[in-house]
Amino acid sequence: MNALAEGHKFFNVAVALPSDDNTLLAYTTDTTGYRQYTLQIKDLRTGKLLPEKFERVDEVVWSTDNKTLFFVTENDVTKRQDEFPPPPAGHSIRGARLFRTG
């Protein structure tokens, strides 16, 4: 994490959550000090970050399939996490965003 903090006056990690099979790591970082976290996912087998980034993420949980990640985002204006974006096309999940790897 020290390498990630380089060049930032402020750096905080709120979530560092490996998938159950320990192949992926979901983590959130804040570089502003305003608790506005960016979610990134690292493939622990290759050491590379997946290209997707998600802004203003508050809560993160892996599904038991080790490929699906559920997360809650913060509303830009109200700062509340009870205003959820619509689910991705083809999914009926309500109350959380979904990201599927591979």
Side-chain angles (χ1 to χ4, degrees):
M1 292 298 164
N2 287 341
L4 294 175
E6 277 186 38
H8 298 286
K9 291 181 180 181
F10 178 87
F11 188 81
N12 183 44
V13 176
V15 172
L17 185 65
S19 57
D20 285 342
D21 65 358
N22 292 310
T23 60
L24 297 169
L25 176 69
Y27 65 94
T28 60
T29 58
D30 172 24
T31 59
T32 66
Y34 292 105
R35 292 180 286 205
Q36 295 175 346
Y37 296 99
T38 301
L39 170 64
Q40 291 187 266
I41 302 159
K42 184 173 186 173
D43 186 326
L44 298 175
R45 296 165 293 195
T46 65
K48 295 184 180 184
L49 288 174
L50 300 186
E52 296 81 7
K53 282 187 180 182
F54 304 94
E55 300 297 327
R56 294 184 179 263
V57 173
D58 287 331
E59 306 289 335
V60 179
V61 65
W62 283 104
S63 174
T64 56
D65 70 3
N66 297 303
K67 294 180 182 180
T68 305
L69 186 66
F70 298 94
F71 58 96
V72 177
T73 57
E74 170 189 271
N75 180 280
D76 292 350
V77 176
T78 66
K79 308 287 189 217
R80 295 177 62 150
Q81 59 174 232
D82 61 352
E83 297 181 17
F84 304 108
H91 296 282
S92 61
I93 294 163
R94 300 196 56 84
R97 291 187 65 179
L98 168 75
F99 175 72
R100 184 176 295 275
T101 63

